[in-house]
Amino acid sequence: MNIQVIIPLVIFLIAIFAIGFIASKQMTSTGGFLQEYFLGGRELGGFVLAMTMVATYGSASSFLGGPGTAYTVGFGWILLAMTQVVTGYFVLLILGKKFAILGRKYNAVTMIDFLKARYNSPAVAILSAIAIIIFLFSAMTAQWVGGGRLIESLTGLQYTTALFIFAISVLVYVTIGGFRAVALTDAVQGAIMVVGTLILLIGVIIAGGGVPAIMQDLLNENPRLVTPFGADGTLTAAYVSSFWILVGVGVVGLPQMAIRAMSYKSSRAMHRALVIGTIVTGFIMLNMHLIGVFARPVMPGIDVGDKVIPLIALEVLPPWLAGIVLAAPMAAIMSTVDSLLLLVSSAIVKDVYLNFIKPEASEKRVKIMSFGVTGILGIIVFLLALQPPDLLIFLNLFAFGGLEAAFIWPIVLGLYWKYGNKHGAILSMITGIASYIAIHFYNASYGNLLGVHTVTIPVVLSLIAYIIGSLAIQRKAFRF
Amino acid sequence: MPAKQTPPDQYKPDPRFKIAHKEALIGVALAIFNFIWWYGFAYGLGSRPPEEYTYILGLPDWFFYSCVVGFILMSVIVIIITKYVLKEVPLDADPYADPNVTPKEESPTK
């Protein structure tokens, strides 16, 4: 247990709490509780919007898993990670103004509100709510395990205690502050990620004796480490390119990203977010993964990928600075789980409870429900994260790819294709999820079908399903 | 055989959508350009044997052009497009408030 590492982390946690309280003070303003709690009153400025998108998207995998894999595989994995630059501008340009305008017109607070208004179908709403609750719930639990493990490895506390600290911090600021607190803390966390990445990169380069020296060490060890094909030559162009769908353009279909495209204040804020988002995403992805590769000659022989970043930070930086830098992966994990927590609770309160169970509920009741559901969800996730059941780990595998395959076409074509209708949307969601799961099993036993990532083929199939469903049954133009 | 839905005078699409559609197409075009740049340099230069690589700022040439220059280039293009091409539109003003357009929907009661 290293006290100098822990102090910066504790200061970081206190700052996050403070932001939650400040945000909760602002909540009494205009616009109604639901808009405020789940959307921050549609008032996000450019910087906060960009950072909340980057921070929500940049999860544990960008800060721990990704660089860890880069450590093992080499430059090929950085090439793969750089496919994420596209998300910085693509999500905002595609959903862009139309999604924001329609969101306001339909008075939508969640992505499901939008789908429900666009397709005028309870079946679409129910199907989406089920998909969101199941998939995001499992994704959230997996991230909590990551958060607990990180605190455990830094502080030497027991896993249970570490997880408890993590859970309490997230729960307090999300439950009290809602979306605005989440977005504001994301902005702080995003800034920490940028600074932390830069400091750590410099530290690693110095420790390795400069970039050319590191390069020479890598070449001496295995020349394939500096090729695009990976240490064992197995990264094919088709496989790496298919990540453009999983972590690039397909991100449009993730509810936690879509919801952010409804929350901005003005088109000026959106424009600023486009620029900041692109630069920050690219910067973090490039440098974080470079750190992973550069760490290899500096600290050879790390077996567990997730430990590369914490270990290298403790190795090359003075302890207090390592504490600040390691707040970055903490920040990434926290800012992902807080958004997911809010999204699952909005799906339950807004999309299920208010739509189907008690539409006439009073403002006060909705308020109590929102706080309550958010809090209870957090506690359930905590309990599950103590000893994650196999089913959750299993579902988590499907979480992001499955959601993308399910939602990308109902959202994108729902916005831009007037003949898209509920039959297409339902067919597309079912095809997307079912084929994703089927191809997952196929790939697990026979190797990747057509050599591409699991998500690729379901995205194509669900597009076909959407078009067939929309045109074959009841072809009718939709008026926006 | 798209059947005519309504007489054209009864339905006017929101004029802001035209801008939105154009900007979405820009997004697609940017992504395609980005992909070609990224793929071209990565596999165009990177497929040589590693002994033939040259190094720029210490990084392998394919990686430098594909990932480092590619990222900087995309950032510059996004900045230029945001500054000169994207249009600012109000997001929640009622488009039917325009006196030249006959209101067809009841204006939102606030």
Side-chain angles (χ1 to χ4, degrees), chain A residues 380-426:
Chain A
I380 296 174
V381 175
F382 170 73
L383 294 176
L384 286 174
L386 281 176
Q387 199 103 65
D390 290 344
L391 181 68
L392 265 177
I393 296 165
F394 175 77
L395 285 172
N396 180 55
L397 281 176
F398 301 119
F400 290 147
L403 283 169
E404 287 176 9
F407 286 121
I408 183 167
W409 302 117
I411 290 185
V412 174
L413 292 181
L415 278 175
Y416 294 105
W417 191 42
K418 64 182 172 183
Y419 289 110
N421 62 29
K422 63 178 175 189
H423 306 293
I426 294 171

Side-chain angles (χ1 to χ4, degrees), chain A residues 101-154:
Chain A
I101 291 168
L102 289 176
R104 280 158 210 251
K105 191 172 154 193
Y106 299 151
N107 218 5
V109 173
T110 63
M111 190 184 91
I112 296 176
D113 283 341
F114 166 77
L115 293 175
K116 197 168 151 254
R118 169 62 180 82
Y119 294 108
N120 191 19
S121 154
V124 170
I126 294 173
L127 207 56
S128 319
I130 293 173
I132 287 181
I133 293 170
I134 293 178
F135 283 132
L136 287 187
F137 194 80
S138 9
M140 185 158 63
T141 313
Q143 294 275 330
W144 285 51
V145 175
R149 291 257 180 260
L150 182 66
I151 298 185
E152 180 192 16
S153 68
L154 291 179

Side-chain angles (χ1 to χ4, degrees), chain A residues 154-313:
Chain A
L154 291 179
T155 59
L157 291 170
Q158 279 220 308
Y159 173 68
T160 316
T161 323
L163 185 67
F164 188 71
I165 295 174
F166 179 79
I168 292 291
S169 359
V170 173
L171 265 181
V172 167
Y173 75 80
V174 177
T175 312
I176 294 176
F179 188 87
R180 193 190 297 271
V182 168
L184 284 175
T185 47
D186 280 358
V188 176
Q189 288 158 339
I192 292 176
M193 292 182 210
V194 171
V195 177
T197 307
L198 189 61
I199 296 174
L200 191 52
L201 180 68
I202 295 170
V204 173
I205 292 177
I206 293 172
V211 181
I214 294 175
M215 235 13 102
Q216 200 50 54
D217 289 340
L218 288 173
L219 280 169
N220 293 344
E221 193 195 332
N222 176 0
R224 280 184 176 155
L225 285 169
V226 302
T227 69
F229 304 104
D232 52 2
T234 48
L235 283 182
T236 63
Y239 182 72
V240 174
S241 298
S242 61
F243 272 78
W244 277 77
I245 294 180
L246 181 69
V247 297
V249 296
V251 173
V252 170
L254 291 180
Q256 63 268 42
M257 299 308 272
I259 194 72
R260 280 168 170 68
M262 273 190 198
S263 61
Y264 36 86
K265 187 164 58 179
S266 61
S267 35
R268 179 188 292 266
M270 176 201 139
H271 294 169
R272 283 192 62 194
L274 257 172
V275 173
I276 301 172
T278 306
I279 295 174
V280 171
T281 311
F283 182 86
I284 293 180
M285 293 309 158
L286 180 62
N287 294 328
M288 214 57 212
H289 289 84
L290 268 177
I291 294 167
V293 176
F294 287 176
R296 195 180 174 92
V298 178
M299 270 187 101
I302 303 175
D303 307 325
V304 183
D306 283 358
K307 286 190 177 162
V308 170
I309 292 295
L311 286 177
I312 196 79

Side-chain angles (χ1 to χ4, degrees), chain A residues 304-385:
Chain A
V304 183
D306 283 358
K307 286 190 177 162
V308 170
I309 292 295
L311 286 177
I312 196 79
L314 292 170
E315 165 83 14
V316 302
L317 300 176
W320 61 273
L321 198 54
I324 296 175
V325 167
L326 289 175
M330 269 287 282
I333 296 173
M334 285 174 81
S335 60
T336 304
V337 297
D338 57 18
S339 318
L340 300 186
L341 188 59
L342 212 54
L343 208 69
V344 175
S345 103
S346 75
I348 292 173
V349 174
K350 179 77 182 55
D351 300 321
V352 177
Y353 180 75
L354 275 180
N355 271 344
F356 299 107
I357 298 173
K358 203 165 190 228
E360 74 285 2
S362 68
E363 174 100 332
K364 195 171 163 225
R365 205 184 154 83
V366 172
K367 216 170 188 164
I368 296 170
M369 280 287 294
S370 304
F371 289 142
V373 168
T374 311
I376 292 168
L377 274 176
I379 294 167
I380 296 174
V381 175
F382 170 73
L383 294 176
L384 286 174

